[in-house]
Amino acid sequence: MQGQALTKAAEQLDFAKEIQKLRAAADQKRGITWKLAGDSLLRDALAVSCHSFYAAEDYVVIIMNSYRAGAKIALLYGEDDGIFKEKAASFMHTYTANAFYTSCDENFWTDQTKILNKEIILLLQERIFPHESLEGINKKLRRAENYVGLDDTHYNVTTQFKIGNKIFGLEDKKWLKLTPDQQEEFRNRQSKDWYRCLDFFEKKLVDAYVPKFLEGSHLIPTQIRSIPGCRNAYQKNVLAYDEKGNATVLGSYYHSATLASLIEDAAASDQIAQHNWAQVNAKDRNTIVMILNNDVELKFGSYDLSEKKIIEQTRYIVNDTNRLMYIPVNTPGMFTTPIFKHQVKELIKDSKAKDTSSAHNTFLEKVKSLEQIADSSDSTNRVKHLINPSNHYAAIGANYIACRAILNQDKKQAYPSVLFNCKSGKDRTGYISYLADAAIIHSIYPTVGQEEIIRQAVAMGTHQQFLSSVNGGMPGRFGMKPVASNFTMKTIGSLTPVRITPIDKKLFPFPALLTNIPLN
């Protein structure tokens, strides 16, 4: 683009609108169309068949969001953001004018993302951070990416898909708004311990986005971990549609990032976590919390992946053994002892108290299966998990969620809801959501197909993959990072009865791994 034309394009550039168009285009390549109404997004996946989940637009969103973050940093430091907008406009012009780029594979776009990310970092070093290392600026850019996502519309997302001739839907609604106490924490943040713990750069970001936090129409993104408020919090409804298009809720539950705080200051951390628990109780005081994190020491060099603090702090704030479950996912089975047996016994009581005359045998079978597992010794369950680390504990958690979600639809009696979470509420939480959603559908409509077939249909709708890249996620990071040894997800798509190309790798497009973009 030439001089004046480039300047004009930069002045007219609206990052939020461009990113929304790119997301819609990426979904269209997956065979999914959009219908928008305010802050509600309906994704129509009814015509999805054999396809690849890869779309170049996912990478273009990541790149545009990096330019947007660079522009925001410039404004925070009183600098002109024009250079970042000009480079973004030039990049978009090149991308849209050349069909070659849409045909490039993921290796090309991974390299391109790194190249342009480094270009943005060098610009920031030249103009704003001349004495800071490239790695330090890269970390700042990643943090800013999460905050600028608050400039997007955060949607209530529904995805419709077919199993056979029957239409189903997955609906995720924004669930939690800040309580008055949490709002006070933001308004008077200068006097709060958590705010004092922030570095100068993040204080600038928080100050810029306080109005977004207070207005209540946005979710707090998964990677913003040092401020009050539950992150990535949704209410999931699993839907079935009749011939006239009317929806019935088959089951509902809640999911989010951890309620625990990850800041180092102990007093401030506990206070944030307690505020988060109060935020949950303000909406639903009859909630059982299921933790999916690990409770083992996992250290690899400088990387500390242990999540003991999450377990300990969640136990502390919930402070009620009847409302707490621990179902570790993706962790070594011999070193963990889940907490679920008492809750399963209560589930069995509730199931017997409910009129089950209209319930399908599959629901009762799941309850019976949970009872048998609860009657097994801890050592037996640990061995089973060690043999099948992808599925034993995960199946317990997912079937429990499914049974509770179905019982929760009985309006004659208040049964407990389930809120489950991992660290960010995306990968392990997303995996359990797949299993639970399929279990709910299979319990009520067992004739539409085997549970594995239903899981495949849920996966092909890409609802959870999409959810991981919007709202509470990071723009552009379509998909979920692979869950290691995840047998169920590896075999989705390879089932012979439906003759669909295996999607074991395509289920996890590489953008999901780019939460941190490496410099080299």
Side-chain angles (χ1 to χ4, degrees):
M1 297 180 74
Q2 299 298 316
Q4 289 184 337
L6 177 59
T7 300
K8 185 176 181 180
E11 290 173 350
Q12 296 176 343
L13 180 65
D14 185 323
F15 281 109
K17 287 183 179 179
E18 287 294 335
I19 286 171
Q20 179 178 293
K21 287 191 292 185
L22 287 164
R23 282 171 164 159
D27 255 358
Q28 191 167 30
K29 285 186 176 179
R30 298 176 183 115
I32 298 168
T33 57
W34 282 23
K35 295 178 183 176
L36 286 170
D39 65 351
S40 293
L41 166 60
L42 174 64
R43 301 172 70 243
D44 182 339
L46 298 176
V48 169
S49 57
C50 180
H51 66 284
S52 169
F53 286 161
Y54 162 68
E57 285 82 359
D58 293 325
Y59 292 88
V60 179
V61 171
I62 296 174
I63 292 166
M64 288 297 287
N65 203 46
S66 295
Y67 280 122
R68 175 165 64 165
K72 187 66 179 182
I73 292 171
L75 292 176
L76 289 177
Y77 283 83
E79 300 289 333
D80 185 6
D81 65 347
I83 185 64
F84 297 96
K85 297 184 79 171
E86 284 182 6
K87 286 189 173 294
S90 178
F91 165 71
M92 280 304 300
H93 173 75
T94 302
Y95 172 74
T96 55
N98 195 335
F100 162 76
Y101 289 108
T102 60
S103 65
C104 291
D105 64 16
E106 291 199 81
N107 291 327
F108 170 87
W109 280 110
T110 299
D111 290 341
Q112 200 68 13
T113 300
K114 293 177 183 177
I115 291 168
L116 295 177
N117 179 68
K118 192 166 184 177
E119 181 181 292
I120 294 167
I121 290 168
L122 288 169
L123 274 174
L124 289 169
Q125 187 182 53
E126 175 189 336
R127 293 165 179 267
I128 302 171
F129 306 115
H131 305 299
E132 188 148 0
S133 69
L134 296 183
E135 189 58 51
I137 299 170
N138 195 24
K139 289 179 179 178
K140 282 183 166 61
L141 190 61
R142 298 288 80 75
R143 268 192 285 173
E145 276 185 336
N146 283 279
Y147 282 89
V148 296
L150 291 160
D151 292 326
D152 297 327
T153 300
H154 286 189
Y155 298 109
N156 298 309
V157 182
T158 303
T159 301
Q160 293 179 337
F161 58 97
K162 272 187 176 181
I163 307 174
N165 294 319
K166 183 72 178 174
I167 299 175
F168 295 93
L170 303 177
E171 177 186 54
D172 270 292
K173 301 170 70 175
K174 293 175 287 185
W175 179 39
L176 296 174
K177 291 187 177 183
L178 296 179
T179 64
D181 285 344
Q182 287 171 314
Q183 291 177 334
E184 191 272 338
E185 290 284 314
F186 279 102
R187 291 193 182 99
N188 300 300
R189 57 194 176 280
Q190 285 83 0
S191 64
K192 304 300 180 181
D193 289 338
W194 63 268
Y195 186 79
R196 294 191 188 113
C197 292
L198 302 177
D199 61 24
F200 178 73
F201 178 70
E202 191 151 10
K203 284 178 181 177
K204 278 184 167 290
L205 287 166
V206 170
D207 291 346
Y209 283 98
V210 162
K212 295 287 188 182
F213 294 129
L214 294 179
E215 75 180 19
S217 63
H218 288 76
L219 294 172
I220 297 178
T222 62
Q223 304 296 314
I224 302 179
R225 294 169 170 164
S226 303
I227 65 174
C230 293
R231 297 173 291 123
N232 206 23
Y234 293 94
Q235 178 181 359
K236 164 69 71 63
N237 293 317
V238 180
L239 310 172
Y241 295 86
D242 63 18
E243 293 80 1
K244 296 181 179 179
N246 300 311
T248 299
V249 178
L250 306 182
S252 63
Y253 57 76
Y254 307 115
H255 59 100
S256 71
T258 179
L259 306 177
S261 169
L262 301 177
I263 63 175
E264 293 183 3
D265 183 278
S269 179
D270 285 345
Q271 191 173 42
I272 287 177
Q274 287 173 331
H275 275 305
N276 292 348
W277 182 228
Q279 187 182 8
V280 170
N281 282 305
K283 296 292 286 186
D284 191 337
R285 301 192 65 87
N286 197 22
T287 304
I288 294 170
V289 177
M290 180 186 293
I291 316 169
L292 305 177
N293 298 84
N294 71 70
D295 195 16
V296 295
E297 293 292 342
L298 290 175
K299 294 184 179 180
F300 305 95
S302 61
Y303 293 96
D304 185 358
L305 302 178
S306 175
E307 297 170 339
K308 278 183 173 292
K309 180 182 177 181
I310 291 175
I311 309 296
E312 293 167 356
Q313 194 172 63
T314 306
R315 284 175 173 167
Y316 169 69
I317 60 172
V318 174
N319 194 30
D320 183 347
T321 56
N322 293 319
R323 298 184 66 184
L324 187 73
M325 298 179 71
Y326 170 49
I327 305 286
V329 174
N330 201 31
T331 47
M334 292 302 290
F335 306 103
T336 55
T337 303
I339 301 171
F340 67 91
K341 294 188 175 185
H342 174 72
Q343 290 79 2
V344 167
K345 295 297 184 185
E346 290 300 313
L347 168 68
I348 292 164
K349 286 182 186 177
D350 290 343
S351 298
K352 289 179 178 178
K354 176 182 168 60
D355 178 13
T356 57
S357 59
S358 61
H360 288 287
N361 288 335
T362 45
F363 171 80
L364 301 178
E365 286 170 3
K366 281 182 172 54
V367 173
K368 187 66 176 176
S369 172
L370 287 168
E371 183 177 25
Q372 291 171 349
I373 292 169
D375 287 337
S376 302
S377 68
D378 290 333
S379 59
T380 299
N381 283 315
R382 281 197 295 268
V383 170
K384 287 182 178 179
H385 183 68
L386 188 66
I387 294 170
N388 189 1
S390 66
N391 215 33
H392 183 66
Y393 289 162
I396 294 171
N399 284 333
Y400 179 86
I401 293 163
C403 291
R404 276 284 172 217
I406 292 168
L407 283 175
N408 196 249
Q409 298 313 299
D410 186 350
K411 304 307 178 186
K412 296 179 182 178
Q413 186 169 340
Y415 292 107
S417 305
V418 181
L419 164 63
F420 60 97
N421 45 53
C422 58
K423 189 174 184 179
S424 297
K426 289 166 67 258
D427 306 315
R428 285 167 289 186
T429 298
Y431 170 48
I432 297 298
S433 292
Y434 276 119
L435 302 184
D437 295 343
I440 290 168
I441 293 171
H442 188 246
S443 294
I444 300 176
Y445 288 94
T447 58
V448 299
Q450 299 173 356
E451 194 160 350
E452 288 80 4
I453 300 293
I454 296 172
R455 287 178 189 164
Q456 185 182 47
V458 171
M460 294 294 282
T462 69
H463 179 85
Q464 198 65 38
Q465 295 97 311
F466 179 78
L467 208 65
S468 294
S469 73
V470 296
N471 298 354
M474 291 180 73
R477 271 66 170 184
F478 176 82
M480 303 181 302
K481 295 190 294 294
V483 179
S485 302
N486 185 339
F487 179 77
T488 300
M489 301 315 282
K490 283 181 179 178
T491 56
I492 282 179
S494 62
L495 301 168
T496 54
V498 288
R499 296 184 181 177
I500 292 178
T501 302
I503 55 173
D504 54 331
K505 293 181 180 178
K506 296 173 187 174
L507 188 61
F508 301 113
F510 196 74
L513 299 173
L514 291 177
T515 302
N516 294 306
I517 301 174
L519 287 174
N520 299 308

